[in-house]
Amino acid sequence: MTLFPNSLVWFSLLMSWAGNLGITSALLLGLRNGEIAPPPIANPDAPQAAERPTPETPVILIVIDTLRADHLGTYGYPLDTSPIIDEFAAHATVFENNSTQVNVTHSSLTSILTGLYARTHRRYTPISTVAELRGVKEFLVLPELFSNLNYHTLGIVSHPAWLTNGSSPIQRGWSGFSLIDESANSGRRRRLANGRHTNERAFGLLSNYAEHHRGDPLFLWAHYFDPHTDLKSLGYNAPPETRNLFLKHHLAQFGLGAFEARLRPLDPLRREGWIPKNTEGEERDQLRLANGRSLYDAKIRSCDGHVGKMFERLREMDLFDRALIIVMADHGENMEAESSMRGKIMFTHRRLFQGVTRTPLIVKLPGQTTGKRVASITQNIDVFPTILEALGLPIPPQAEGKSLLPLWEDPSIAIHKSVYIESSDHTERAVETKAVKYIEPGNGLAPLAFRLDEDPGEMENVALTLDPEWAAGAHKALLKFAPNPKLHIRFEPESEPYRLTFEVALTDAEFKDFEGSANAITSEDGRRISWSGVVESAAVEFAFQRSHGKTATHWNISRDDIDRVGSRVFVGSRKLWNSGAFPVYSATDGQAPEDPRLRLTFEPSEDLFTAAVQLADPSRLDLILHAARPTHLFELEIQTQSGFDSEQVERGRSQRFRAKSSSSAAVAARIKPTGTELRALCRINGAWPDPRSVALNGHAVNSDGVHFVFPPPPMRELHNALQSYDHSAAPVPGRITVWESGFAAETEIDTSEMDEDTIEGLRALGYVK
């Protein structure tokens, strides 16, 4: 067997830092080949490949959303949730210790189809939406590779909130691609997010393949959405034939068998309303947990049946025995009760405990009939190189996973000494060996560690008993995956040279790296960089890093030969006016506009903020108030309010008001505590008003240049704008572009361009508040 080397080892703990710790050998730290080394793995049952695939072998990739491994019979679950998959596994190879890379769907699926860690492909949003990031290097995805080999490629996705999005890499390269009907409202799409509808769409594509493309080899990706809990009126639920199969068992686990007769007749969507009305305290919490677990298992059983129908269809088409078939999951789901260590996370896929990170991976080679089991640790990004090497194809240099094929010949070896996992919000990270899982939760919380070989349920935190040198190695390994964003600003040339001045300043951090003109001036405290110069025939670009991202970034840009320079400024691909950046208005001595479109007043002595907006009917108004410093939480006591609708949203240091149509609108608010610095972002029909139509404390505002702020932490709308710079686009003369490479501290879904129905669907799924 020819083994294609992995082009990028996922992190590197070099002897240099080991030497700094006074260690003469990396093995003393438990490190080898750049990964944290577990104890040697031994397995006497070395599986042998059944039939080596060829470059025309059919490939079937089945991904079951939110399926944790330990709720399948083949992984030791005592309930009969998965008879079809268990039977399939009995004649395939089961990888017993497989991990996802990230805890949300779109990011994980992108890793599966590219072989890349999320920190590389940077698609961190939970779903594929119009807010998809564009300003990143593109990578090949499996359907593109197979299309280049004349495969007929079919993709079926069953996430109810996914929309057609050409910028998402996993929507590229398909001969046929199917999403749930986008013309249906969000409620109907959620009801269609089941295995039956997945198969209906898949079988239609397969029929077309059989009729028109049978001579081409097939790559089929089927994404099933079923295994989700039904506790928040999500609109999809376990069908009647499975919904009560496991209710008695889970109620008995808590001594709540008396409730079975009352819950059994209720539709799952009604149970969540019945439980809090009829129980309280610990009994209520336990009943919710038992009910949720039973419904989760019921959905697995239902999905298992639909996977079985897919297998039947493949057999009818004479594909099943000839195909390389993989059954896996994007991530799992928390089924554990609330605890001081875990928090309240049940029925979510937050955090990085085993219920979320340990996922099934079952692979059947063509003609394989003998079941095999492999105990070595593996990860989802290994699937990409495994498929390619199994078919005798070269593995692209981009691949960060490793082929699993050596484990068929000798399962006693370890292709990974450790695997890396992260949360989609970049807060929590984990590194896992065969024996130990080490988690850094972030947000100032102490590390967690679990001896998985002795404590697979992660009940005892042993972080304080770990060898200090090993823990130090694990920490440094995770630092290799910490985000390291870099801000850029680029000034495009025009037909004639022009002079400009720009300054960027940080509120609570220092610049730690700077690339650009040697004429730039850095302040003594390291918090301010300024430059004045001429842009001639070539673009001028600056890039810099901050000591940390939890800081406001102030920008001040002006040109000597043009007013309203802000009209030339873009944040990524968006105009500054509608990017989510906050304008900073400075009052002049000039008289205020006679009829300003936006009138702002702030009386420090009374801590009273007033915004009055003149709107041309019909208009859409957004007003966001934001505490200027991370330590300044504030409370608004509304004094008067007119012209706004009823929506007032509080998110940490921000409050948002919205009005959809009015001739004028105003809000006056008293700010608590005294002295809180406040910023205001007012947009009319999605854009800042012209600075020449703004009045501040009765005066005109300066419009010679543009002064704006990126507040900390990055707001989701601003973050997506910063990441959206299209490097392939032709430069526009005179354009000024600010963007970010790497990624910022938070990534959320930008809903600013979505309709209300889509937003409501995301809210029902827990993806937006």
Side-chain angles (χ1 to χ4, degrees):
M1 179 187 304
T2 302
L3 198 61
F4 291 85
N6 188 25
S7 64
L8 178 61
V9 178
W10 67 270
F11 59 69
S12 176
L13 290 169
L14 301 175
M15 287 296 290
S16 58
W17 66 260
N20 291 337
L21 294 176
I23 301 168
T24 57
S25 171
L27 294 179
L28 295 178
L29 257 177
L31 302 171
R32 187 163 62 248
N33 297 330
E35 296 183 345
I36 301 177
I41 301 171
N43 187 338
D45 302 321
Q48 301 297 318
E51 179 182 321
R52 188 64 179 269
T54 71
E56 294 190 349
T57 294
V59 178
I60 312 298
L61 177 60
I62 293 175
V63 181
I64 303 176
D65 206 301
T66 317
L67 177 62
R68 52 189 282 170
D70 62 356
H71 276 241
L72 298 177
T74 191
Y75 284 89
Y77 197 51
L79 302 183
D80 192 21
T81 56
S82 51
I84 302 297
I85 293 176
D86 295 346
E87 174 64 19
F88 171 76
H91 304 283
T93 302
V94 176
F95 294 88
E96 296 176 333
N97 293 287
N98 186 68
S99 293
T100 185
Q101 266 55 70
V102 66
N103 61 342
V104 295
T105 299
H106 184 237
S107 189
S108 178
L109 293 180
T110 304
S111 287
I112 292 169
L113 292 178
T114 62
L116 298 170
Y117 288 108
R119 65 108 186 236
T120 303
H121 64 65
R122 290 172 45 208
R123 266 69 181 188
Y124 280 103
T125 52
I127 65 169
S128 174
T129 74
V130 293
E132 189 61 42
L133 311 182
R134 293 198 304 273
V136 295
K137 180 182 178 182
E138 295 294 350
F139 299 94
L140 287 170
V141 290
L142 274 177
E144 289 179 311
L145 289 168
F146 280 120
S147 291
N148 293 336
L149 296 169
N150 296 318
Y151 269 69
H152 192 74
T153 57
L154 300 178
I156 301 92
V157 176
S158 296
H159 198 299
W162 281 34
L163 305 173
T164 300
N165 177 11
S167 66
S168 171
I170 63 176
Q171 294 192 29
R172 299 197 309 259
W174 300 105
S175 308
F177 187 76
S178 174
L179 293 167
I180 293 176
D181 184 6
E182 294 178 70
S183 66
N185 62 36
S186 61
R188 175 163 174 74
R189 288 201 301 270
R190 294 197 299 274
R191 290 191 293 274
L192 291 175
N194 59 66
R196 178 178 291 105
H197 188 58
T198 302
N199 280 349
E200 287 175 0
R201 292 179 290 123
F203 293 171
L205 291 174
L206 285 171
S207 294
N208 180 72
Y209 164 74
E211 183 175 355
H212 300 290
H213 306 280
R214 191 59 182 260
D216 298 332
L218 175 69
F219 172 59
L220 170 69
W221 171 44
H223 166 255
Y224 292 84
F225 192 71
D226 303 68
H228 288 70
T229 45
D230 301 296
L231 302 184
K232 296 181 180 178
S233 299
L234 299 183
Y236 55 88
N237 55 42
E241 58 267 25
T242 67
R243 68 177 51 150
N244 290 318
L245 285 177
F246 310 106
L247 180 61
K248 180 177 181 179
H249 169 86
H250 287 291
L251 290 173
Q253 296 297 302
F254 294 98
L256 299 173
F259 286 95
E260 182 186 0
R262 189 64 187 89
L263 292 180
R264 181 175 285 273
L266 295 180
D267 181 279
L269 298 182
R270 294 180 58 196
R271 293 180 188 177
E272 182 65 3
W274 186 91
I275 291 173
K277 291 179 181 178
N278 295 275
T279 58
E280 59 184 19
E282 184 179 4
E283 184 180 67
R284 177 197 59 207
D285 295 340
Q286 291 180 341
L287 192 58
R288 288 189 72 243
L289 188 56
N291 176 56
R293 287 175 176 175
S294 72
L295 292 174
Y296 179 74
D297 286 346
K299 293 298 294 290
I300 295 175
R301 179 61 179 264
S302 174
C303 186
D304 181 78
H306 295 301
V307 171
K309 289 181 171 59
M310 172 63 79
F311 288 163
E312 291 174 10
R313 184 59 175 264
L314 295 174
R315 288 188 176 97
E316 292 170 1
M317 298 177 67
D318 190 31
L319 290 170
F320 185 87
D321 290 332
R322 297 189 296 112
L324 170 64
I325 302 178
I326 300 171
V327 176
M328 61 187 305
D330 54 349
H331 54 75
E333 183 90 317
N334 290 301
M335 293 285 136
E336 286 69 30
E338 180 178 357
S339 68
S340 58
M341 181 169 57
R342 287 179 169 81
K344 190 175 184 178
I345 58 173
M346 61 182 182
F347 311 129
T348 72
H349 28 275
R350 296 197 299 270
R351 305 295 307 272
L352 299 181
F353 297 103
Q354 290 291 83
V356 167
T357 65
R358 188 183 177 215
T359 53
L361 178 58
I362 308 168
V363 182
K364 185 193 80 67
L365 293 173
Q368 183 175 353
T369 58
T370 303
K372 312 292 182 183
R373 303 188 76 88
V374 176
S376 300
I377 58 173
T378 57
Q379 53 188 344
N380 277 359
I381 59 172
D382 295 335
V383 168
F384 178 92
T386 299
I387 291 175
L388 296 176
E389 187 176 12
L391 270 60
L393 301 171
I395 300 172
Q398 74 181 46
E400 294 179 305
K402 296 181 180 180
S403 172
L404 302 173
L405 291 192
L407 297 175
W408 266 275
E409 293 188 343
D410 184 2
S412 67
I413 66 173
I415 63 169
H416 297 292
K417 306 306 182 291
S418 56
V419 295
Y420 167 81
I421 314 157
E422 65 179 308
S423 65
S424 66
D425 62 1
H426 317 311
T427 300
E428 190 164 25
R429 298 178 182 83
V431 61
E432 180 179 327
T433 72
K434 182 67 164 56
V436 177
K437 185 174 188 176
Y438 177 85
I439 304 174
E440 292 189 351
N443 293 326
L445 299 177
L448 303 170
F450 305 96
R451 299 192 183 279
L452 298 178
D453 49 352
E454 303 171 1
D455 178 26
E458 297 170 303
M459 302 302 293
E460 183 181 0
N461 177 16
V462 297
L464 295 179
T465 66
L466 288 177
D467 181 281
E469 293 181 343
W470 191 96
H475 172 70
K476 285 191 175 288
L478 293 180
L479 287 180
K480 294 291 183 180
F481 279 78
N484 193 20
K486 182 181 291 186
L487 282 169
H488 304 254
I489 185 167
R490 180 181 175 93
F491 303 92
E492 300 292 349
E494 293 183 334
S495 57
E496 297 292 334
Y498 63 89
R499 175 172 291 277
L500 64 84
T501 298
F502 96 89
E503 180 180 81
V504 58
L506 306 178
T507 300
D508 300 292
E510 297 80 41
F511 292 106
K512 65 175 184 178
D513 191 19
F514 174 74
E515 302 169 14
S517 171
N519 296 326
I521 300 173
T522 303
S523 63
E524 291 185 6
D525 61 6
R527 295 187 175 188
R528 187 182 306 270
I529 294 175
S530 58
W531 179 81
S532 181
V534 177
V535 179
E536 298 183 295
S537 58
V540 176
E541 183 175 327
F542 299 90
F544 47 86
Q545 292 174 315
R546 298 157 291 180
S547 57
H548 64 82
K550 301 290 186 179
T551 182
T553 307
H554 299 253
W555 303 82
N556 208 332
I557 306 170
S558 63
R559 279 183 57 170
D560 295 342
D561 59 345
I562 189 171
D563 64 354
R564 296 203 65 222
V565 68
S567 63
R568 303 292 184 96
V569 178
F570 282 71
V571 177
S573 62
R574 294 190 189 179
K575 291 183 177 180
L576 173 65
W577 313 127
N578 54 23
S579 66
F582 279 65
V584 177
Y585 298 122
S586 55
T588 67
D589 295 333
Q591 185 175 355
E594 185 172 328
D595 189 18
R597 204 167 189 204
L598 172 63
R599 183 185 296 111
L600 299 171
T601 60
F602 182 63
E603 302 293 343
S605 61
E606 299 180 3
D607 299 309
L608 185 66
F609 170 86
T610 303
V613 187
Q614 301 295 324
L615 297 176
D617 190 32
S619 298
R620 188 179 78 253
L621 171 69
D622 263 312
L623 175 63
I624 304 174
L625 306 177
H626 190 79
R629 298 175 66 88
T631 55
H632 284 180
L633 302 181
F634 72 94
E635 179 182 346
L636 290 185
E637 178 184 303
I638 303 300
Q639 304 294 303
T640 61
Q641 181 176 323
S642 63
F644 288 92
D645 64 7
S646 59
E647 182 176 7
Q648 177 182 346
V649 182
E650 298 186 25
R651 284 185 181 145
R653 290 181 286 115
S654 293
Q655 298 204 19
R656 179 191 297 264
F657 299 87
R658 282 180 175 159
K660 292 186 178 177
S661 180
S662 177
S663 59
S664 64
V667 61
R670 195 171 301 282
I671 303 167
K672 301 177 181 180
T674 301
T676 295
E677 185 183 355
L678 193 70
R679 294 196 181 97
L681 170 57
C682 178
R683 290 181 297 190
I684 301 172
N685 288 330
W688 301 356
D690 187 324
R692 293 172 293 191
S693 68
V694 176
L696 174 61
N697 288 344
H699 295 277
V701 301
N702 191 334
S703 60
D704 291 343
V706 60
H707 185 185
F708 56 96
V709 174
F710 297 161
M715 302 176 73
R716 63 178 182 271
E717 181 181 3
L718 175 61
H719 170 70
N720 283 316
L722 281 167
Q723 296 282 356
S724 67
Y725 179 45
D726 187 355
H727 294 265
S728 64
V732 176
R735 175 175 287 189
I736 301 167
T737 306
V738 181
W739 77 94
E740 184 178 52
S741 62
F743 46 81
E746 293 183 357
T747 303
E748 299 180 53
I749 299 173
D750 179 5
T751 60
S752 61
E753 299 179 27
M754 296 181 186
D755 58 65
E756 289 299 322
D757 184 64
T758 301
I759 295 172
E760 177 55 37
L762 295 174
R763 187 177 292 116
L765 291 165
Y767 289 148
V768 299
K769 295 180 180 179

